[in-house]
Amino acid sequence: MSTVRVAVDVGGTFTDVCIFDDETKQMRVTKVPSTPHDPMIAVMNGVERGEIDLSNVSLFSHGTTVATNALITRNFPAAALVTTRGFRDVLEIRDGTKDDLWDAYNDVSAPYIRRRDRFEVTERVDYSGNTLTALDETEARELAELLKRRGVSTIAVCFLNSYANPAHETRMREILEEVIPEATVSTSAEILPEIFEYPRFNTAVANAVLAPLVSGYVNRLSDQLREGGYQGDLLLLHSGGGSMTPRLVEKFPVRLAASGIAAGAISAKHIAQQCGYDNAVSLDMGGTSTDIALVADGELRITQEWQVEYGHPIIFPSIEVLTIGAGGGSLAHIDIAGSLRNGPQSAGADPGPACYDTGGDQPTNTDANVVLGRLGSSLAGGVKQLEKSLAQRAVRRVIAEPLGMGLEEAAQAIISVANANMADAVRLVSIRRGYDPRDFALLAFGGAGALHGADVARELGIPTVVVPPNPGVTSAMGCLLVDIRHDLAQMYTGLAAAADEDSIEEAFVALETEASARLRHEGVSDENAMLQRKISMRYSGQWRSLQVPMGSGPGALEQAVRTFHEEYEREFSFRQDGAPVEVYQLHLAAVGKTPKPAFRPAEVIPQPPGSPAERRPVYFGGHGWLDTPVYDREELAAGTYFHGPAIVNQLDSTTVVPPHTRAEIDEWLNIRIHLEEAN
C-alpha cells in the first residue's frame, strides 16, 4: 500500500519538499537550491535528498512557478492571434489605464503577441449571439496555410462576441487543426466566456503562449516520476486554490500562472483553523518576495481579476494574494534623493546575498540579519554557509558609510524599512478592505517570515504571531491540502427583478453537466464531487460587479439579491436597497474531494525550554546587544514556554522572539508569540 504523500513548492531561491507518512502521521521536510534554468532538476533533487521511494507515494502535488516566470521573462514560443476583422489592436489599446497615472514615461509593457503576429478574418456576431456576417472560410483556410508556412503552432482565436455564440471560433479552430495538426489552439469562448473583449482576449492569449511551455514541463516531470515508480497523477496547484491533473493543464495552462503563491495562503487557512483563529493574515516571506493573504471569517478572499504584469489581466478566480518585493534577498540601496530603500530588486539565488560568498556584493535583508546576529553561520541545515564578514562589508560599504551610520544602526535600518514595507502591505489587504488588523493573528512563514513576523505584528498592533512547525516549507504543505477544482462561468445579463428563474436554473444545470464531466475525466467519483453556485450582480448602471453565493430552487435569486446588498455594504460601506440590481454572470465551482493528511496533535505538558543549544549576542534595536539563548526547535516539545529575547533555529527557518514577548509551543507544535507585554 502506498502510504506517503509528497508536496513540492518551487521558490526563487529554494525548492521545498514536504513528505507526510499516513501510517505514522509524521511529516519530514527538506530544502534544495532552486534551478531557475530548469525547475524540474530541483524537484528531482528534492526527491533524492528527501530519500523518497516514489513507488510508495500515493500523491505527488506540485506548486510551480514555470507559468509565472514565463510571463515575466516573456520567453514564449512563436505564437499568433486570429481575431475579428477590425479588432487586431484590442491587445494594444487595452483599457487605457496606467499603473502610475502621473508618470508620462512609464508605459505599459507590450502585448504578449506582437502586432505583426496578429491576424484578422471576416466574421461578425452581435451581442446577443446572432450571426451578422458568416465566417469567411476561404480567408480562414488561407490564414491557416500562412501560419503553417511560418512555423506557428501556438494560436489564440479571439472573436468579438464569441461569448454569446462560439460557433465561429469553434469552426476557426477546426480549420487551423486540419491545416496544422500539431497546433495548440486556445479559443476565448472556451477559456473565458465573458463580455469584455480585452480581458477575454488577453486571458486567451496568455493561455496560448503558455501552453507549450507548461505542458512540456508537466509532461517531462510526469515521465520522470513515472520512471521512478510513481503510479498516480501528478497534481498541479492552480491559482484558484485547487489542483489540476496534467490532462487539464494542457487545456488551461494559464490557471497555473499564480500556482506558487496560492499554496502559502491555503496553508495559512488550515493553520488558522487548527489554532482557532477565524481571522488571520499570512506573511509568507521567501528569498525574493513576500506574499500576503487574508483569512476573514474562516475563508480566503477570492479575486476574479489579477495580473502578473500591470495591464495584462488574467480573468480566472484566484486567491487574493498581495506580493511585494521584500524577501531575504531583497537589496538595500540608497535612492537618488539619499533615502534608504529596500527592494524590490533582489539578489535572488544567483548571485545571492553577500554572505553566501557566491559573487553577490550588495547588502540584502539576509545580510542585515547576519550582521545583527539574528542568523547564525548557516542556512537549510548547512546547505548554505553564511560569511558574516562579507555581510558586514556589504552593509558598511553600501549603507553605513554613505549615510554616516554605525554598522549595527545601518543593519537595523535595513530591517526596519523591510518591516515597514510589509506592514504597509498588510494594511492594504486589511484596513483597505474594512478589517482591523488588531482583530487578526499573524501567520509568519516562508524562509524569512519568522525572522520578521514579531516586528511586523508589533508595528500593526497585532497581538499574536503564529510560526508553523516548518515555516520554510509551509507553502509546500499547502499543496497537500487542496482538492481538484474547476471554475466555470456564463454571461447572463438583465435586471434581477425581471429575470426568469427557470432559465437561470437551466444555465446552472448546463454548467454543472460540464463540470461533472471534467471531474469524471480527472478520475473524481460522483460521491467526491461538490458543485458550488455563485452569481455576480451589480447596481443598474454600474460597470463592476460583486459575486455572492447562489442557492437553488424557488426564492434563490431573491435571497441572492439580499446577500448582494449586505456584501456591497460590507465591501464599500454603502448600500441602496431601492436601486434595481442587475444579474451579470453565473459562476460554478466544481470541487473534487481528495484525501487529506490527518495531522495528530501532541500532548501539551507545560515546561521551560531547558538549556539552549548556544548563546550569542543579538542586536534588538533600542535594546542594543543582548545575550540571547538559541534553541533547537526539534527540542521544544508541546507546552514549552519562554520569554524573549530568544532565537529558535531549525532546518528551514529561524524564528526571532524579541524582548518583551512570551512564546509557547501549542499542541500542533506551532510557536505562538504573544505581544501583550510589549512596551
Side-chain angles (χ1 to χ4, degrees), residues 370-423:
V370 169
V371 170
L372 298 177
R374 297 181 171 207
L375 286 175
S377 59
S378 66
L379 289 178
V383 172
K384 286 287 185 183
Q385 297 299 314
L386 306 180
E387 297 292 338
K388 188 172 184 177
S389 61
L390 297 179
Q392 291 173 328
R393 184 170 66 186
V395 172
R396 182 181 292 112
R397 176 178 58 83
V398 178
I399 304 299
E401 292 177 353
L403 294 179
M405 291 179 166
L407 179 62
E408 295 85 359
E409 183 186 7
Q412 182 62 53
I414 291 171
I415 297 301
S416 296
V417 172
N419 292 340
N421 290 341
M422 288 185 279

Side-chain angles (χ1 to χ4, degrees), residues 204-545:
V205 165
N207 194 80
V209 298
L210 289 175
L213 300 172
V214 173
S215 62
Y217 168 77
V218 169
N219 290 331
R220 284 194 303 121
L221 180 56
S222 293
D223 291 342
Q224 284 277 334
L225 295 174
R226 194 172 295 109
E227 289 175 12
Y230 178 55
Q231 299 299 314
D233 270 331
L234 170 65
L235 293 183
L236 285 301
L237 181 70
H238 65 65
S239 59
S243 60
M244 305 165 67
T245 63
R247 290 188 292 272
L248 262 293
V249 169
E250 290 183 359
K251 194 171 184 179
F252 301 105
V254 72
R255 296 227 61 184
L256 299 186
S259 170
I261 64 175
I266 293 164
S267 283
K269 176 183 174 182
H270 170 77
I271 294 165
Q273 289 174 337
Q274 276 190 335
C275 295
Y277 296 114
D278 288 332
N279 297 328
V281 178
S282 67
L283 186 80
D284 181 2
M285 185 179 183
T288 305
S289 61
T290 296
D291 300 323
I292 298 168
L294 192 79
V295 180
D297 298 323
E299 295 295 332
L300 289 161
R301 286 184 59 88
I302 301 295
T303 180
Q304 299 299 313
E305 178 177 335
W306 53 281
Q307 51 209 337
V308 174
E309 288 183 280
Y310 183 84
H312 301 282
I314 295 174
I315 313 298
F316 269 121
S318 175
I319 294 174
E320 189 173 66
V321 179
L322 176 61
T323 300
I324 63 170
S330 293
L331 297 173
H333 58 281
I334 299 172
D335 66 15
I336 59 174
S339 298
L340 174 61
R341 301 289 181 181
N342 193 301
Q345 302 86 356
S346 174
D350 184 15
C355 61
Y356 281 13
D357 194 17
T358 52
D361 61 359
Q362 300 299 305
T364 65
N365 290 326
T366 297
D367 294 306
N369 278 307
V370 169
V371 170
L372 298 177
R374 297 181 171 207
L375 286 175
S377 59
S378 66
L379 289 178
V383 172
K384 286 287 185 183
Q385 297 299 314
L386 306 180
E387 297 292 338
K388 188 172 184 177
S389 61
L390 297 179
Q392 291 173 328
R393 184 170 66 186
V395 172
R396 182 181 292 112
R397 176 178 58 83
V398 178
I399 304 299
E401 292 177 353
L403 294 179
M405 291 179 166
L407 179 62
E408 295 85 359
E409 183 186 7
Q412 182 62 53
I414 291 171
I415 297 301
S416 296
V417 172
N419 292 340
N421 290 341
M422 288 185 279
D424 284 344
V426 173
R427 292 184 183 102
L428 285 176
V429 302
S430 57
I431 296 174
R432 189 175 180 181
R433 302 295 191 191
Y435 299 102
D436 187 340
R438 294 172 296 183
D439 298 331
F440 286 67
L442 183 72
L443 306 183
F445 54 92
L451 278 166
H452 296 256
D455 290 334
V456 173
R458 179 166 287 165
E459 185 159 338
L460 292 162
I462 293 176
T464 303
V465 179
V466 179
V467 180
N470 302 107
V473 296
T474 296
S475 289
M477 185 184 75
C479 297
L480 294 175
L481 303 171
V482 297
D483 295 309
I484 292 174
R485 177 182 173 124
H486 300 288
D487 295 278
L488 292 79
Q490 179 178 321
M491 294 301 301
Y492 190 100
T493 55
L495 290 175
D500 182 353
E501 290 200 46
D502 290 338
S503 65
I504 291 177
E505 178 65 22
E506 289 175 7
F508 270 120
V509 169
L511 290 175
E512 288 170 345
T513 300
E514 181 182 351
S516 297
R518 287 193 190 183
L519 291 177
R520 282 193 292 271
H521 182 66
E522 297 201 281
V524 177
S525 62
D526 290 344
E527 57 268 24
N528 288 325
M530 182 172 63
L531 306 178
Q532 302 167 337
R533 296 181 178 185
K534 290 193 175 183
I535 188 168
S536 289
M537 296 178 168
R538 58 192 180 187
Y539 287 122
S540 182
Q542 287 186 326
W543 176 31
R544 300 193 183 278
S545 59

Side-chain angles (χ1 to χ4, degrees), residues 62-371:
H62 180 26
T64 175
T65 56
V66 169
T68 312
N69 293 340
L71 292 176
I72 292 172
T73 62
R74 292 174 173 251
N75 185 22
F76 301 140
L81 168 70
V82 179
T83 189
T84 305
R85 186 165 302 284
F87 292 87
R88 179 185 184 188
D89 293 317
V90 164
L91 291 181
E92 207 91 40
I93 297 169
R94 303 183 305 99
D95 56 6
T97 63
K98 297 183 67 172
D99 190 19
D100 186 348
L101 181 62
W102 309 109
D103 187 347
Y105 299 99
N106 183 17
D107 292 329
V108 174
S109 56
Y112 293 138
I113 295 179
R114 300 170 299 180
R115 192 173 195 272
R116 71 184 191 186
D117 296 320
R118 305 197 296 262
F119 302 91
E120 300 175 341
V121 295
T122 301
E123 72 85 33
R124 197 59 180 266
V125 171
D126 69 11
Y127 70 94
S128 61
N130 297 316
T131 299
L132 301 180
T133 304
L135 173 67
D136 189 324
E137 295 200 10
T138 301
E139 275 187 18
R141 196 166 294 277
E142 289 174 354
L143 175 56
E145 295 287 354
L146 173 63
L147 294 178
K148 182 178 181 179
R149 290 195 298 272
R150 286 193 175 193
V152 175
S153 59
T154 301
I155 306 162
V157 180
C158 305
F159 291 160
L160 182 60
N161 288 320
S162 60
Y163 71 92
N165 182 350
H168 288 175
E169 279 193 354
T170 301
R171 181 56 186 149
M172 185 72 226
R173 178 177 61 190
E174 291 171 352
I175 292 171
L176 288 167
E177 290 174 343
E178 287 172 14
V179 177
I180 316 173
E182 69 277 13
T184 300
V185 183
S186 298
T187 63
S188 72
E190 184 177 29
I191 303 301
L192 183 71
E194 185 164 317
I195 187 171
F196 295 116
E197 63 269 16
Y198 174 61
R200 173 161 49 90
F201 282 25
N202 194 78
T203 302
V205 165
N207 194 80
V209 298
L210 289 175
L213 300 172
V214 173
S215 62
Y217 168 77
V218 169
N219 290 331
R220 284 194 303 121
L221 180 56
S222 293
D223 291 342
Q224 284 277 334
L225 295 174
R226 194 172 295 109
E227 289 175 12
Y230 178 55
Q231 299 299 314
D233 270 331
L234 170 65
L235 293 183
L236 285 301
L237 181 70
H238 65 65
S239 59
S243 60
M244 305 165 67
T245 63
R247 290 188 292 272
L248 262 293
V249 169
E250 290 183 359
K251 194 171 184 179
F252 301 105
V254 72
R255 296 227 61 184
L256 299 186
S259 170
I261 64 175
I266 293 164
S267 283
K269 176 183 174 182
H270 170 77
I271 294 165
Q273 289 174 337
Q274 276 190 335
C275 295
Y277 296 114
D278 288 332
N279 297 328
V281 178
S282 67
L283 186 80
D284 181 2
M285 185 179 183
T288 305
S289 61
T290 296
D291 300 323
I292 298 168
L294 192 79
V295 180
D297 298 323
E299 295 295 332
L300 289 161
R301 286 184 59 88
I302 301 295
T303 180
Q304 299 299 313
E305 178 177 335
W306 53 281
Q307 51 209 337
V308 174
E309 288 183 280
Y310 183 84
H312 301 282
I314 295 174
I315 313 298
F316 269 121
S318 175
I319 294 174
E320 189 173 66
V321 179
L322 176 61
T323 300
I324 63 170
S330 293
L331 297 173
H333 58 281
I334 299 172
D335 66 15
I336 59 174
S339 298
L340 174 61
R341 301 289 181 181
N342 193 301
Q345 302 86 356
S346 174
D350 184 15
C355 61
Y356 281 13
D357 194 17
T358 52
D361 61 359
Q362 300 299 305
T364 65
N365 290 326
T366 297
D367 294 306
N369 278 307
V370 169
V371 170

Side-chain angles (χ1 to χ4, degrees), residues 642-644 657-658 660-664 672-677:
F642 53 95
H643 289 79
V657 183
H660 301 296
T661 64
R662 60 183 175 85
E664 61 186 2
R672 299 201 198 191
I673 304 173
H674 302 284
L675 282 72
E676 303 99 307
E677 302 170 14

